[in-house]
């Protein structure tokens, strides 16, 4: 029997097994991560090596450095995930891996590692879309959450509002026309000399500032539920530069607070417009920017006012991790959606 035929047979049999444990690997950007997840909902281990220190010097992720660090760390993260879960490789039921979107060289490390393990162990290999993974971080946080619901995914590379119609079934309701929300935060932070990745530190600085200090535009978009951050970002950068040229003293905390308030109000307003017009009654947040403290507070307020039940991912699951990949993989496995050994990285994969 070929590897793929035996994987398909195993995937079918796993549907009847009491507990299914998936070893998942994530390496799409600057986190090298491995995790063991049981039945799509329970984290048995979640090992993450963040490369931030390696890239901070350059003010952003350097793809070659990311790939090299993934090569060096991926085995160690797999070992740690197994050790923390108290399991051996042989006890794993299936392998899962992020195969896109992301940096091609970075993705390839995780994909190669997962393929090698799957082939050597002759166990099913489940390819997972990174954005779907972020959404599934909510399944690990909220045992009661089931589709259908809507999900605002805001990270360094993506800003999308999705309708999650079923497990693995997504429809785009709105998306950014230019920069992702995280990218906008990071670029605004850079102007304030906050080191990469600036989003979390800008968020902290903003807590002490006046969000009304600087007036910023609220961009118009063609699609009703689409976003745009590039005009806002440029307006912010110009305002800071102009003030500096005139020798005007601007308070960094006020600037951070004004920028954060503008981004958050765009995200919240559009999400709530969609909720009201489309009758969405359950909304989740996902992705690195869902850790933003103002976004979490404002979404809570707005959802309460609009009768929408809000699901926030646990803070430790907002950024990139492999547990979220293991959760998404479980539902694909149940449907027999597994890969053969020709699986390749897809840097521009869409959901
Ligand atoms: O999901 P993620 O870890 O990686 C991608 O898939 O892109 O998201 C990283 C992004 C970065 O842009 C980072 O600055 C942003 O999420 N981020 C935040 C916060 N925490 C992380 N942005 C604003 N406020 C935060 N608290
Ligand atoms: Zn991500």
């Amino acid at each position: 029997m070929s590897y793929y035929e035996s994987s398909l047979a195993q995937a079918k049999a796993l549907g009847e097994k009491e507990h299914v444990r998936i070893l998942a690997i994530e390496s799409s950007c600057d986190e090298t991560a491995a995790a063991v997840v049981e039945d799509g909902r329970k984290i048995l281990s979640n090992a993450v090596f963040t490369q931030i220190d390696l890239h901070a010097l350059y003010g952003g992720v350097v793809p070659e450095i990311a790939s090299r660090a993934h090569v060096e760390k991926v085995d160690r993260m797999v070992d740690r995930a197994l050790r923390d879960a108290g399991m051996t490789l042989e006890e794993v039921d299936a392998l899962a891996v992020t195969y896109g979107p992301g940096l091609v060289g970075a993705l390839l490390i995780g994909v190669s590692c997962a393929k090698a393990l799957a082939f050597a162990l002759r166990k099913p290999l489940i390819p997972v879309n990174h954005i779907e993974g972020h959404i599934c971080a909510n399944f690990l946080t909220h045992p009661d959450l089931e589709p259908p619901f809507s999900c605002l995914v805001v990270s360094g590379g993506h800003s999308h509002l999705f309708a999650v119609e079923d497990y693995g079934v997504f429809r785009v309701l709105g998306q950014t026309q230019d920069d992702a929300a995280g990218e906008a935060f990071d670029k605004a932070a850079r102007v304030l000399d906050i080191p990469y990745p600036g989003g979390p530190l800008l968020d902290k600085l903003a807590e002490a500032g006046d969000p009304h200090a600087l007036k910023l535009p609220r961009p118009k978009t063609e699609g009703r539920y689409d976003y745009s951050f590039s005009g806002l970002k440029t307006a912010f950068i110009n305002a800071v530069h102009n003030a500096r040229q005139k020798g005007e003293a601007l308070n960094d905390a006020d600037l951070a607070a004004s920028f954060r308030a503008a981004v958050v109000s765009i995200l919240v307003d559009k999400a709530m417009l969609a909720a009201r017009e489309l009758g969405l009654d359950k909304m989740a947040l996902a992705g690195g920017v869902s850790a933003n403290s103002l976004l979490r507070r404002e979404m809570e307020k707005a959802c309460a006012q609009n009768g929408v039940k809000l699901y926030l991912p646990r803070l430790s699951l907002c950024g990139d991790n492999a547990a979220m990949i293991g959760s998404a993989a479980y539902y694909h496995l149940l449907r027999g959606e597994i890969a053969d050994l020709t699986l390749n990285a897809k840097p521009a994969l869409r959901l």
Side-chain angles (χ1 to χ4, degrees):
M1 209 191 293
S2 73
Y3 161 78
Y4 185 65
E5 284 164 354
S6 103
S7 289
L8 270 182
Q10 282 184 64
K12 212 176 226 174
L14 286 172
E16 309 293 311
K17 192 166 179 263
E18 192 185 358
H19 292 299
V20 175
R21 290 173 186 149
I22 296 177
L23 171 63
I25 298 172
E26 152 67 41
S27 70
S28 64
C29 189
D30 59 348
E31 262 85 28
T32 318
V36 180
V37 175
E38 187 174 89
D39 304 330
R41 296 276 179 165
K42 187 173 168 198
I43 300 176
L44 300 187
S45 65
N46 192 14
V48 182
F49 170 75
T50 174
Q51 307 176 359
I52 283 177
D53 292 348
L54 301 176
H55 301 289
L57 183 63
Y58 307 96
V61 177
V62 182
E64 290 80 3
I65 294 177
S67 308
R68 185 172 291 266
H70 285 309
V71 171
E72 285 169 2
K73 290 289 190 270
V74 70
D75 288 359
R76 281 184 231 180
M77 290 302 110
V78 167
D79 285 348
R80 190 185 299 171
L82 289 169
R83 198 174 57 235
D84 291 353
M87 285 170 64
T88 62
L89 258 184
E90 287 67 30
E91 287 169 322
V92 165
D93 292 306
L95 283 299
V97 67
T98 305
Y99 74 118
L103 301 168
V104 66
L107 288 164
L108 272 172
I109 311 302
V111 168
S112 308
C113 179
K115 272 163 76 168
L117 286 172
F119 183 57
L121 297 164
R122 288 189 79 82
K123 303 215 165 163
L125 172 64
I126 310 150
V128 175
N129 180 309
H130 180 80
I131 304 174
E132 178 178 5
H134 273 302
I135 295 172
C136 293
N138 283 290
F139 294 142
L140 298 167
T141 308
H142 307 285
D144 60 318
L145 178 62
E146 304 257 4
F149 60 93
S150 53
C151 187
L152 176 65
V153 184
V154 271
S155 72
H158 317 278
S159 292
H160 282 91
L161 182 64
F162 288 105
V164 182
E165 296 177 336
D166 200 345
Y167 290 105
V169 182
F170 307 93
R171 191 158 51 86
V172 178
L173 300 174
Q175 60 189 305
T176 183
Q177 301 297 289
D178 36 62
D179 295 356
E183 192 183 348
F185 271 122
D186 293 343
K187 286 181 179 160
R190 193 188 267 201
V191 185
L192 300 179
D193 295 322
I194 297 173
Y196 176 85
L201 290 175
L202 185 147
D203 185 19
K204 220 179 250 166
L205 181 65
E207 290 291 293
D210 171 11
H212 306 293
L214 181 67
K215 256 202 132 28
L216 289 165
R218 299 289 187 275
K220 291 243 172 320
T221 49
E222 231 169 78
R224 285 182 80 66
Y225 314 128
D226 285 343
Y227 307 91
S228 164
F229 297 111
S230 131
L232 173 64
K233 177 195 68 189
T234 308
F236 179 77
I237 294 172
N238 288 343
V240 175
H241 285 164
N242 286 342
R244 281 185 186 154
Q245 274 163 7
K246 288 188 206 148
E248 287 171 14
L250 287 178
N251 176 303
D252 279 0
D254 288 349
L255 290 172
S258 302
F259 187 76
R260 181 180 71 162
V263 172
V264 167
S265 82
I266 293 168
L267 290 171
V268 174
D269 289 354
K270 287 295 174 93
M272 286 304 117
L273 181 69
R276 279 193 302 272
E277 293 186 349
L278 306 175
L280 313 171
D281 60 354
K282 288 196 283 181
M283 188 165 301
L285 288 191
V289 181
S290 62
N292 186 273
S293 45
L294 184 69
L295 180 62
R296 293 171 85 96
R297 291 198 295 270
E298 291 298 313
M299 280 298 283
E300 252 161 17
K301 248 192 263 166
C303 283
Q305 279 164 6
N306 287 280
V308 177
K309 186 161 167 46
L310 177 68
Y311 296 86
L312 295 172
R314 203 177 305 145
L315 280 177
S316 59
L317 296 175
C318 291
D320 289 349
N321 64 85
M324 67 188 197
I325 304 304
S327 171
Y330 175 72
Y331 298 100
H332 286 291
L333 180 72
L334 291 186
R335 289 193 302 269
E337 291 161 7
I338 58 171
D340 61 25
L341 295 169
T342 62
L343 179 68
N344 204 351
K346 292 226 167 84
L349 183 67
R350 298 171 78 93
L351 190 62

